[in-house]
Amino acid sequence: MIKILLDRNEPSEMEVRKHQNFDQILAAYQYQQKVNNPWRYWFYLTLVCGLLFIV
Amino acid sequence: MPLQLSFQQQSFLQEEEKTLITRAQTDSRYFAPLYERYHDAIFRYVYRRVDEEEKAYDITSNVFVKALQALPKYEYRGLPFSAWLFRIAKSELYQSFRDQKAQRTVSIDKVVLQQVVEEWVEDYTELDKQRLMNSLQKLNEQQLQLIEMRFFEKRSFKEIGQIIDLSENNAKVKTFRAVQKLKIIFNQKE
């Protein structure tokens, strides 16, 4: 079932800009990159194993 | 209304855009000018299709995060960059409808609705307006999208085709069929 809204007020361009900016988007993207990076878990483990192997 | 640009201006903008995209593909911070250029259009596209402003902001934000993620793989294939963003927006919107995070909404100006009805009936009444709104409910999603973009958002067939992945001609034909279907449903109620 769709909802039909008549003569709906749209926020102005300024309001939209105030509400959302590129820095927030970039921060969200960088956070996701960090979370999705498989090296996040393996890097330290590999490092420890490497060091143990050397020792 | 879309801005009419000369061929030279269009190709200059396309070249400038390609440069911006190439730079953004190497460093996501350079995506800012593209974001500034298209954010408002994408937000409005989403806003008109969901019932709450906050949800529109969330979905728009997801669209740009997804765009940044997919940007390294982006290849220019003759389609404007905006069409690529609109397709991501469309996919994010339908994802949120499937997850029931947002309600499918159609935002219409009363004046535009009246113009559509007046083409079909001689004496326009408030009842006809309600009938048209009820008829819209009976269209399938693609037909609704076509009517929405063509009549309520005044987009060109070329742009509609680019957004929903159809050729300009195909968009024209399918919109014509959607209007025919809407007329049939509208007249059935008499």
Side-chain angles (χ1 to χ4, degrees):
Chain A
M1 190 76 178
I2 58 165
K3 189 170 173 180
I4 296 177
L5 297 176
L6 291 177
D7 282 349
R8 191 178 180 196
N9 278 334
E10 280 193 19
S12 68
E13 204 177 329
M14 281 300 287
E15 281 174 279
V16 175
R17 274 172 192 273
K18 261 189 218 167
H19 208 282
Q20 213 162 45
N21 62 52
F22 181 66
D23 292 334
Q24 292 169 334
I25 303 288
L26 190 64
Y29 164 69
Q30 284 167 342
Y31 175 74
Q32 282 205 357
Q33 289 287 95
K34 204 171 145 187
V35 168
N36 295 335
N37 182 6
W39 280 99
R40 182 171 169 248
Y41 303 105
W42 290 101
F43 177 72
Y44 293 105
L45 192 66
T46 315
L47 190 72
V48 170
C49 288
L51 285 173
L52 282 174
F53 181 74
I54 293 165
V55 171
Chain B
M1 287 293 285
L3 193 67
Q4 292 296 315
L5 299 170
S6 71
F7 179 73
Q8 275 181 328
Q9 284 171 316
Q10 275 183 8
S11 48
F12 173 75
L13 277 177
Q14 264 182 7
E15 283 309 311
E16 189 218 0
E17 196 163 85
K18 274 188 209 170
T19 315
L20 289 174
I21 294 165
T22 314
R23 282 179 71 190
Q25 281 177 320
T26 54
D27 187 339
S28 43
R29 282 172 300 176
Y30 291 121
F31 188 72
L34 292 164
Y35 171 88
E36 294 299 331
R37 189 175 288 178
Y38 296 115
H39 179 265
D40 197 62
I42 297 292
F43 171 76
R44 279 169 215 287
Y45 173 84
V46 173
Y47 178 81
R48 286 171 193 151
R49 287 162 176 79
V50 296
D51 56 339
E52 285 175 32
E53 195 175 327
E54 280 308 311
K55 283 174 192 163
Y57 282 115
D58 287 348
I59 295 168
T60 309
S61 156
N62 286 343
V63 171
F64 283 96
V65 171
K66 289 265 163 75
L68 276 167
Q69 284 170 344
L71 195 65
K73 289 178 195 159
Y74 174 83
E75 279 175 47
Y76 181 77
R77 288 177 187 160
L79 274 184
F81 186 67
S82 58
W84 185 70
L85 289 175
F86 276 115
R87 284 183 189 184
I88 298 176
K90 189 167 77 98
S91 136
E92 278 302 301
L93 264 171
Y94 288 101
Q95 188 58 52
S96 60
F97 298 146
R98 275 195 295 274
D99 298 346
Q100 296 181 328
K101 285 181 189 160
Q103 154 96 51
R104 174 72 168 103
T105 304
V106 181
S107 307
I108 314 172
D109 277 348
K110 273 185 189 164
V111 179
V112 178
L113 194 72
Q114 187 170 340
Q115 283 167 356
V116 175
V117 179
E118 275 175 347
E119 280 185 24
W120 299 347
V121 290
E122 280 176 17
D123 301 311
Y124 167 82
T125 62
E126 282 295 303
L127 205 68
D128 292 323
K129 193 175 76 188
Q130 191 56 48
R131 270 173 56 203
L132 181 64
M133 281 163 50
N134 293 338
S135 308
L136 283 170
Q137 304 267 5
K138 303 209 166 154
L139 293 176
N140 68 34
E141 185 51 40
Q142 194 188 49
Q143 291 164 338
L144 183 65
Q145 275 184 58
L146 290 163
I147 301 247
E148 191 176 24
M149 284 197 272
R150 181 65 187 162
F151 297 100
F152 308 146
E153 295 176 349
K154 309 277 182 205
R155 292 184 197 271
S156 68
F157 288 116
K158 191 176 175 185
E159 197 183 359
I160 294 172
Q162 286 167 349
I163 296 172
I164 57 173
D165 200 10
L166 293 173
S167 68
E168 188 177 346
N169 252 345
N170 214 347
K172 229 180 249 181
V173 172
K174 289 200 172 190
T175 307
F176 176 76
R177 284 186 195 148
V179 173
Q180 291 300 314
K181 173 94 185 284
L182 187 61
K183 264 186 194 175
I184 292 169
I185 301 169
F186 180 81
N187 289 322
Q188 267 173 359
K189 294 206 158 190
E190 271 184 331

